[in-house]
Amino acid sequence: MRWSDVDLDHARLTISQALEEVGTMITIKPPKTSAGVRTISLPVVAVEALREHKRQVLEQRLALGQGKLPPDALVFGDPFTGEPQSPRAFAKRWSRVSRRIASGVRCHSLRHLHASLLVHSGVDLATVAARLGHAAIDVTLRTYTHQVTPDDRHAADALDQALGQ
């Protein structure tokens, strides 16, 4: 993700690229499917965290005499070079941070946590699928269906309302 993909003023993030590591080669490529290219709304907590992260990165760059961030700078690039960092290196750094702020949630689990929280909160599956970049809702259903608690009373109430009861 590049800073140019983050709109902190409107709390949005555009996802248009994926990072892939094969052996020692790290490449940036398009997402697997066209559904993977998407813009999602960010919660306030994420916007605040990104603003703080950007402030810290700018301070580091100024202290090193590197000046402002180029528009295509990676949000979580290597702290010294700005190049893409190994997903393993990022996961290791995340592990240290998450012990303090996220109860030790592994980096790999963040996507699933995000989806599970949305499903549990009653967000419709089409929206969850779109946020995850799933081309079809059935992928989301197969992965997160155990998170959905049947609400039969809600269904009966909906029928009563539709039938004027």
Side-chain angles (χ1 to χ4, degrees):
M1 157 172 65
R2 299 182 185 282
W3 282 110
S4 57
D5 297 325
V6 180
D7 181 351
L8 295 175
D9 294 330
H10 296 98
R12 292 187 301 227
L13 167 66
T14 300
I15 299 149
S16 61
Q17 298 176 319
L19 192 77
E20 179 180 64
E21 181 177 32
V22 178
T24 59
M25 288 291 298
I26 299 172
T27 56
I28 296 176
K29 63 179 194 161
K32 294 177 198 172
T33 68
S34 60
V37 177
R38 60 211 184 269
T39 298
I40 62 170
S41 299
L42 295 171
V44 171
V45 66
V47 171
E48 290 172 357
L50 285 166
R51 279 194 174 118
E52 177 59 19
H53 175 65
K54 189 173 188 178
R55 185 191 64 72
Q56 290 175 2
V57 168
L58 287 170
E59 280 182 6
Q60 275 184 326
R61 288 184 60 82
L62 292 173
L64 295 170
Q66 294 176 329
K68 288 186 168 189
L69 285 166
D72 64 343
L74 294 170
V75 174
F76 299 109
D78 180 279
F80 299 105
T81 67
E83 295 296 314
Q85 60 179 312
S86 158
R88 284 188 297 266
F90 181 81
K92 189 174 184 177
R93 289 178 65 206
W94 169 257
S95 177
R96 287 193 300 269
V97 171
S98 74
R99 282 187 224 121
R100 292 192 310 268
I101 64 169
S103 304
V105 173
R106 292 179 311 129
C107 184
H108 180 73
S109 301
L110 288 175
R111 178 179 170 84
H112 296 290
L113 176 63
H114 166 248
S116 297
L117 289 172
L118 293 177
V119 169
H120 182 72
S121 297
V123 174
D124 66 277
L125 289 174
T127 300
V128 175
R131 287 182 68 87
L132 296 173
H134 291 164
I137 294 175
D138 66 313
V139 174
T140 311
L141 271 172
R142 282 195 314 271
T143 308
Y144 300 102
T145 192
H146 64 283
Q147 302 284 337
V148 181
T149 304
D151 188 357
D152 192 55
R153 183 71 247 155
H154 177 69
D157 291 344
L159 286 171
D160 278 342
Q161 186 175 359
L163 297 172
Q165 296 296 322

